[in-house]
Amino acid sequence: MKRSFLKKEKGFSLTELLVVLAMLVLVFEIVYTAYFLSRKGYSEGETRAEITQNGRVVLERMTREIRQTKDVVTELSDDSAQATSTLEFEDGHATTSYHYIRYWQEGNTIKREVKRYYFPSDPDVFVSWNTTSPTESLQATTTEGPVVIGEFIQQPDGLKFWGSFNIHISLTVAKDDESVDFSTTIYGSCLLYTSDAADELDGVDLGGRRI
């Protein structure tokens, strides 16, 4: 009779299997965490770039138009704590007189419109915003807009204007957990003002206005 000898092969013990499984789980967690952080960093970078670009475009547009104005309608405080989110001023680029641009924050957007003023007895004749009549009240009509020119504006107080001589602008754009602050100052020497304070600063009388 022939005997067959079977070679006994040793398998993995339960402990060894658990160790291997734990190592695989650890490797998976490391790979997943690295991927997640990479994606999060990329997403945050995209968000910051988006809101930064949005804020720059809005601020540059407002600054350019305000710098060219001849007349500021909105009465601004010198105290930043009393800043307003609305600014109206005469359009310095218009080919005809008495076009007034208004910027304001509405929700998480910034809007822009162009207005003109008139008296009801002669609606086709446009006049300055501070023109008075003993018999009629001045009316306003929107001739352009309103249109959204900026998004992702922080709520509340994402847009602020203040300064009776130099106009200060503060803008905060925010999306998800990212936010970017912008600020600029438009100096009074570039503007025509309807503020008597401007006359006092220069010691000249320009009919309530300043060049």
Side-chain angles (χ1 to χ4, degrees):
M1 177 183 290
K2 294 183 179 180
R3 294 184 178 180
S4 60
F5 297 93
L6 298 178
K7 185 178 179 181
K8 293 183 179 180
E9 296 183 359
K10 184 178 179 182
F12 292 103
S13 67
L14 179 59
T15 302
E16 290 172 329
L17 288 174
L18 291 176
V19 170
V20 172
L21 182 60
M23 293 178 63
L24 289 175
V25 171
L26 180 60
V27 170
F28 175 79
E29 287 184 350
I30 293 173
V31 172
Y32 177 78
T33 301
Y35 173 78
F36 175 77
L37 292 177
S38 175
R39 290 292 302 172
K40 182 180 179 182
Y42 178 78
S43 178
E44 289 176 350
E46 274 196 328
T47 300
R48 177 168 285 270
E50 180 182 12
I51 62 177
T52 298
Q53 178 66 15
N54 183 73
R56 283 176 177 170
V57 170
V58 172
L59 193 62
E60 286 174 2
R61 179 172 184 173
M62 290 191 297
T63 300
R64 182 176 64 254
E65 291 187 327
I66 296 170
R67 184 176 289 120
Q68 297 299 319
T69 189
K70 303 173 184 178
D71 197 357
V72 177
V73 177
T74 305
E75 185 176 352
L76 299 175
S77 171
D78 286 321
D79 186 357
S80 61
Q82 299 181 25
T84 178
S85 62
T86 300
L87 183 66
E88 183 177 339
F89 55 92
E90 187 173 359
D91 184 358
H93 293 90
T95 56
T96 57
S97 298
Y98 310 130
H99 295 259
Y100 294 91
I101 297 172
R102 185 168 80 100
Y103 283 108
W104 75 99
Q105 179 176 353
E106 185 173 302
N108 66 343
T109 66
I110 293 178
K111 290 190 174 182
R112 177 188 183 274
E113 69 178 4
V114 178
K115 302 167 60 180
R116 304 193 78 179
Y117 293 90
Y118 65 94
F119 288 107
S121 61
D122 201 351
D124 294 326
V125 176
F126 297 104
V127 297
S128 173
W129 68 276
N130 55 0
T131 304
T132 59
S133 168
T135 59
E136 295 181 287
S137 297
L138 197 64
Q139 304 295 313
T141 181
T142 300
T143 58
E144 182 183 324
V147 294
V148 174
I149 65 155
E151 299 178 310
F152 311 123
I153 311 304
Q154 177 178 279
Q155 301 183 69
D157 302 327
L159 177 64
K160 295 180 181 179
F161 301 100
W162 74 95
S164 61
F165 183 61
N166 299 324
I167 297 180
H168 306 281
I169 307 175
S170 172
L171 177 66
T172 302
V173 288
K175 183 180 180 182
D176 300 332
D177 295 328
E178 293 289 325
S179 65
V180 180
D181 296 316
F182 298 87
S183 63
T184 190
T185 298
I186 304 169
Y187 293 97
S189 57
C190 302
L191 301 170
L192 259 168
Y193 267 105
T194 57
S195 169
D196 292 334
D199 296 345
E200 296 173 2
L201 285 172
D202 266 6
V204 297
D205 184 7
L206 299 173
R209 294 180 178 174
R210 161 174 173 72
I211 297 179

